[in-house]
């Protein structure tokens, strides 16, 4: 995260007035393991040393770490608290508790979250093409979204399905190990789709091509979302897509999926990188998870998972990747699909 004026000017002035070089040498070494001489030359004018230290963190897009360290070292300097607040991680009291993400509603009501999760589960399905599986989501009365590569074996040269895709709902295991009977619904129509990008198959930068979003919208043979989950019960329902919320870097996300073809599972992680056509996240997935819905902490659909890579040691070379919901909806509407 980088600082812009006027916060940058406020921060530099406060840093210059509140510390000397000895103070900063101790903070940089103890907090970050950095030697002062790596960041600046102690014989330079003090104002220039301060700028050099800021620039070191700024170039690495890690200014928030420096702000946090200096705020902690000088909690009585209001300018540091003001800058932290402007960056979205303000201290909200003088006690021990901190609201670290001020840009969103920080808490969810347990009962509301539990009820919403139960509704979501009913709208998740396993997508089966002759034993090769992925995960899909009901986003309309009879519409399921998944990855295009999940159903690619069924797509003919004319862009239509050559045979049915099986959508298997309620395939999950309870706490005692009992697997509930699944309900299968066929889909014979492909309403819209977009291929994956060449970059998706190799480790490297995220794809940015909005014409390569790796999604497929299937039309079920009946309006399954309008049918009750159990006889006499409420309609199954669908996942709301209006508004197409986005998840920023560091936002918590969860993926409900059928990893390895197994009954429905859930895992949690966070967003690490965001682009116009892809975002990367740390949620665990396996083959069979492709097409699974990615939800934010408020259980709003923000995208669909589509791929992951392990290119070598270290977290930078191991990542999972999703497709932003907003990009998908824009493309689908342009292709004549009303959701």
């Amino acid at each position: 995260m980088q600082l812009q004026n006027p916060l940058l000017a406020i921060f530099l002035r406060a840093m210059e007035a509140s510390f000397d070089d000895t103070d900063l040498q101790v903070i940089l070494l103890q907090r970050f393991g950095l030697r002062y001489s790596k960041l600046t030359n102690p014989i330079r004018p003090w104002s220039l040393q301060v700028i050099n230290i800021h620039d070191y963190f700024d170039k690495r897009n890690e200014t928030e770490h420096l702000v946090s360290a200096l705020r902690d070292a000088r909690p009585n300097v209001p300018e540091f608290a003001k800058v932290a607040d402007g960056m979205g991680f303000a201290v909200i009291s003088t006690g021990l508790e901190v609201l670290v993400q001020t840009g969103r509603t920080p808490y969810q009501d347990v009962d509301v979250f539990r009820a919403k999760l139960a509704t979501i589960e009913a709208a998740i399905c396993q997508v089966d093409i002759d034993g090769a599986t992925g995960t899909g989501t009901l986003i309309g009365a009879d519409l399921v979204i998944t990855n295009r590569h999940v159903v690619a074996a069924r797509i003919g040269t004319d862009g239509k399905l050559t045979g049915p895709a099986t959508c298997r709902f309620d395939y999950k295991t309870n706490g005692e190990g009992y697997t509930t009977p699944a309900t299968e619904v066929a889909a014979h129509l492909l309403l819209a789709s977009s291929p994956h990008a060449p970059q998706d198959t190799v480790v490297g930068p995220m794809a940015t091509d909005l014409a390569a979003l790796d999604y497929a919208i299937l039309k079920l043979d009946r309006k399954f979302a309008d049918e009750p989950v159990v006889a006499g019960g409420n309609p199954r329902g669908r996942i709301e897509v209006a508004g197409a919320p986005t998840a920023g870097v560091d936002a918590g996300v969860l993926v409900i999926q059928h990893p390895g073809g197994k009954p429905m599972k859930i895992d949690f992680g966070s967003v690490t990188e965001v682009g116009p056509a892809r975002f990367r996240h740390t949620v665990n997935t396996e083959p069979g998870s492709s097409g699974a819905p990615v939800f934010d902490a408020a259980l709003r659909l923000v995208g669909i998972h589509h791929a992951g890579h392990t290119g070598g040691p270290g977290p930078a070379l191991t990542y999972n990747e999703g497709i932003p919901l907003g990009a998908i909806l824009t493309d689908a509407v342009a292709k004549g699909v009303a959701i």
Side-chain angles (χ1 to χ4, degrees):
M1 188 180 298
Q2 296 177 316
L3 273 176
Q4 305 293 332
N5 280 322
L7 287 179
L8 175 58
I10 293 172
F11 177 64
L12 293 177
R13 286 197 299 268
M15 188 174 169
E16 186 175 345
S18 304
F19 298 95
D20 58 27
D21 58 347
T22 301
D23 295 329
L24 292 183
Q25 286 179 39
V26 173
I27 292 171
L28 291 170
L29 185 60
Q30 291 184 349
R31 188 80 171 243
F32 305 106
L34 293 172
R35 292 192 176 278
Y36 195 78
S37 58
K38 182 178 180 180
L39 281 65
T40 187
N41 190 330
I43 67 173
R44 291 174 178 169
W46 176 232
S47 60
L48 184 55
Q49 292 182 51
V50 166
I51 291 172
N52 291 158
I53 293 169
H54 163 266
D55 289 351
Y56 176 88
F57 287 87
D58 180 74
K59 289 177 182 178
R60 289 158 178 78
N61 203 30
E62 296 177 347
T63 307
E64 70 273 17
H65 299 310
L66 178 61
V67 172
S68 179
L70 300 189
R71 180 199 60 189
D72 292 347
R74 296 289 188 272
N76 60 329
V77 177
E79 287 83 359
F80 291 132
K82 180 176 181 178
V83 172
D85 183 47
M87 298 184 80
F89 59 99
V91 176
I92 60 172
S93 76
T94 57
L96 299 177
E97 307 303 331
V98 177
L99 186 66
V100 296
Q101 296 186 44
T102 60
R104 64 170 178 82
T105 302
Y107 310 110
Q108 305 296 324
D109 291 318
V110 173
D111 285 347
V112 174
F113 187 90
R114 185 186 299 116
K116 192 169 183 179
L117 183 60
T119 300
I120 287 173
E121 290 176 28
I124 309 302
C125 64
Q126 183 180 66
V127 181
D128 191 330
I129 304 292
D130 295 333
T133 63
T135 304
T137 308
L138 263 176
I139 58 170
D142 54 359
L143 302 180
V144 165
I145 188 170
T146 187
N147 287 143
R148 188 183 193 278
H149 76 256
V150 170
V151 297
R154 277 282 197 278
I155 301 177
T157 56
D158 59 357
K160 299 179 180 179
L161 293 182
T162 59
T166 300
C167 295
R168 187 172 295 116
F169 291 87
D170 307 322
Y171 179 39
K172 52 188 177 181
T173 303
N174 66 15
E176 298 178 352
Y178 172 72
T179 301
T180 58
T183 302
E184 295 186 352
V185 185
H188 283 85
L189 293 177
L190 175 64
L191 298 186
S193 71
S194 180
H196 67 266
Q199 297 97 311
D200 294 333
T201 62
V202 296
V203 175
M206 294 188 296
T208 58
D209 187 357
L210 292 173
L213 297 173
D214 192 18
Y215 79 88
I217 297 178
L218 308 174
K219 184 177 177 63
L220 300 177
D221 289 353
R222 62 185 200 260
K223 295 186 182 298
F224 192 58
D226 295 339
E227 299 179 11
V229 178
V230 295
N234 294 326
R236 178 175 298 272
R238 62 183 179 88
I239 302 302
E240 181 61 55
V241 298
T246 59
V249 173
D250 293 332
V253 290
L254 60 93
V255 176
I256 302 177
Q257 55 188 297
H258 287 281
K262 296 188 287 287
M264 192 183 302
K265 307 292 182 185
I266 187 172
D267 194 48
F268 304 84
S270 60
V271 175
T272 60
E273 190 175 353
V274 175
R278 300 289 186 274
F279 62 88
R280 287 180 175 168
H281 63 84
T282 62
V283 181
N284 287 319
T285 62
E286 298 178 34
S289 302
S290 292
V294 182
F295 296 95
D296 66 9
L299 295 181
R300 300 177 303 174
L301 184 64
V302 297
I304 61 172
H305 169 74
H306 93 117
H309 284 291
T310 300
L317 294 176
T318 301
Y319 55 83
N320 271 324
E321 202 168 73
I323 314 294
L325 177 63
I328 292 173
L329 294 181
T330 298
D331 189 76
V333 169
K335 292 174 178 175
V337 178
I339 302 174

